[in-house]
Amino acid sequence: MLFEPHIYQPHAWKLLSRSFESGKVAGTYLFYGPEGTGQWPLAHAFTALLNCSDRRTDDLSGTTLPCGKCHSCRAIIGFNSPQLLYAVPLKTKTERKDGKQEDIDAVNEVLALQKEEPFRLHTHDKQLSIPIELARDIQRRLSLKGEEGATRVALFFEMEKMRGDAADSLLKLIEEPPSNTVIVLTSANEHALPITIRSRSQEIRLRRIPAGIIQSYIEHQCGLSAERAAVVARTSGGSMGRAIAISTANEDEGFDRNIGFRLFKSLVSDSKAETTSHLLDMISDKDRGQADDLLTLWQTLIRDCAGFSATGDADHIVNVDFQQDIIRFAPHFSEPIVVAGCALSIKNTLADLRRNVHIHGALVGLSLNMKGHLAQRTTGR
Ligand SMILES: [Zn+2]
């Protein structure tokens, strides 16, 4: 799938393939669109196209594809091509002691995971940024002479997590690009990028991936039944990365925190009732323990939101893996009447579950109740 961009991003690939065919490859590209829609695979496929020694034409899409077999393609598949330079968001510096070596180790760690599954989401919910040292290191390496006839590609992933100093260094690179070099930036939030960078980039929009393509991919990659894969694909919102996260999270524990959190999110953020009900389908109707875990998670999430809303102190957040969203949702739980209403509804539902009520019915009822409590909020709208 890595080298089948015409399948997961047909529109973007058509543009990239055409610019290559017509000899008009831009100096800088910005791949933007919802997270998990193929930023990593697309960037690798494009690098492969630029360097492949045995390209072929796909008759159906009319695009040019890399062979996937030549020396250059194989190195790119292995994420160890000398033509590829990576900048990825890492933990912010204050949390780390050492300098450069630590950066390199951290990047390699990310690359090892992405190589295993290029569609997986690298990060979210964590405070990360692209360190200035990485941007500078790429700049330095690009100033050295490259391999004869090869096109180097510098990849800056999740550009919205790049801070000012690193962005300045990148801007210099974009303005004075070394020869035979293409810069690829990716972002799930292109509006967060400095206009100076956007205006110098050719923007390529990544679209949501059709559910059918996601379904067949995760069915094979994650070993899901066709039935389960269909449900996951439907709830992934066209994000392969999210579908993979749902498919692989906490398989052994029977309860998936990510699904639990997404359900919570759908209650708070005015999603369609349909979204909530699709997600509820993923909670077993027979497993009372799972429903219990779900509600316990919600209790702690509400406590985190209310606590942050009252104190503004993120250090007391228990569910650190969802910290950013908790901070975002905190204003919904700024009023005691909302918090108390939700807490009581959850408590009652937990008691109901112990009395052998129908699990899905109880959860649907609770969802409606909670939406009602959340709608009571009087300020901050
Ligand atoms: Zn090739």
Side-chain angles (χ1 to χ4, degrees), residues 208 234-235 237 262-280 364 367-368 371:
R208 295 186 186 280
R234 210 168 52 210
T235 50
R262 291 192 57 217
L263 259 164
F264 180 75
K265 211 164 161 176
S266 82
L267 295 179
V268 177
S269 56
D270 285 334
S271 306
K272 285 179 275 177
E274 201 189 357
T275 314
T276 309
S277 111
H278 276 330
L279 285 163
L280 276 174
V364 169
S367 303
L368 289 173
K371 269 187 181 289

Side-chain angles (χ1 to χ4, degrees), residues 1-8 13 41 43-49 56 65-69 72-78:
M1 194 78 153
L2 185 66
F3 284 0
E4 294 175 308
H6 59 306
I7 293 179
Y8 56 85
W13 189 251
H44 283 77
F46 187 49
T47 308
L49 177 72
R56 64 185 179 92
L65 294 171
C67 73
K69 295 186 190 96
S72 162
C73 283
R74 284 206 313 270
I76 292 166
I77 293 171

Side-chain angles (χ1 to χ4, degrees), residues 167-168 171 174-175 193-201:
D168 288 345
L171 189 60
I174 292 175
E175 283 173 333
L193 307 193
I195 189 74
T196 44
I197 288 181
R198 276 191 80 179
S199 64
R200 287 168 175 81
S201 311

Side-chain angles (χ1 to χ4, degrees), residues 31-46:
F31 293 176
Y32 72 98
E35 61 173 15
T37 50
Q39 284 82 348
W40 283 78
L42 189 65
H44 283 77
F46 187 49

